[in-house]
């Protein structure tokens, strides 16, 4: 099969490629998928590889309101994860 050229974009992109289009680290997208703010194609199992429509990723990447909400979702979930992690750390007893 010949590689696509002539400026043609693939119809679907992986999670890593979608993150690159947004200019975000790869770990942002699973937060958005879990929150329902970013929908993968089909109905993949939780641990399955996710694919996204290129046209939708590009549309969202140029929507300031969508991007603002996405960043807020990721920041909130990371803060919550960090708080849970901090709460799990055992307190040091002072003798």
């Amino acid at each position: 099969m010949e590689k696509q050229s002539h400026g043609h974009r693939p119809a679907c992109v992986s999670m890593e490629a979608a993150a690159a289009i947004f200019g975000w680290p790869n770990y942002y997208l699973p937060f958005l998928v879990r929150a329902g703010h970013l929908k993968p194609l089909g109905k993949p199992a939780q641990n399955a590889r996710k694919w996204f429509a290129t046209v939708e990723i590009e549309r969202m990447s140029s929507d300031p309101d969508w991007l603002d909400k996405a960043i807020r979702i990721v920041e909130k979930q990371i803060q919550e994860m960090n708080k849970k992690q901090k709460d799990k750390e055992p307190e040091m007893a002072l003798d």
Side-chain angles (χ1 to χ4, degrees):
M1 183 142 79
E2 192 175 317
K3 234 182 186 182
Q4 287 187 348
S5 59
H6 308 294
H8 288 37
R9 301 179 318 239
C12 304
V13 292
S14 66
M15 193 171 289
E16 296 81 11
I21 291 169
F22 287 121
W24 294 338
N26 290 341
Y27 68 87
Y28 272 39
L29 272 62
F31 288 113
L32 298 172
V33 170
R34 266 184 254 130
H37 193 60
L38 181 64
K39 305 263 190 216
L41 295 169
K43 294 196 181 278
Q46 186 175 357
N47 62 343
R49 186 156 178 82
K50 312 289 190 282
W51 294 95
F52 303 91
T54 304
V55 295
E56 280 299 300
I57 296 297
E58 290 174 344
R59 181 190 61 77
M60 290 181 281
S61 72
S62 63
D63 180 347
D65 293 332
W66 188 93
L67 292 167
D68 181 65
K69 186 172 181 182
I71 293 295
R72 290 171 190 262
I73 289 168
V74 172
E75 287 174 345
K76 182 179 180 192
Q77 290 190 10
I78 289 174
Q79 285 175 350
E80 288 172 3
M81 277 181 40
N82 288 341
K83 184 179 181 330
K84 285 179 187 176
Q85 191 68 18
K86 187 177 179 187
D87 291 346
K88 279 185 179 181
E89 293 175 5
E91 300 219 6
M92 293 181 59
L94 298 175
D95 292 334

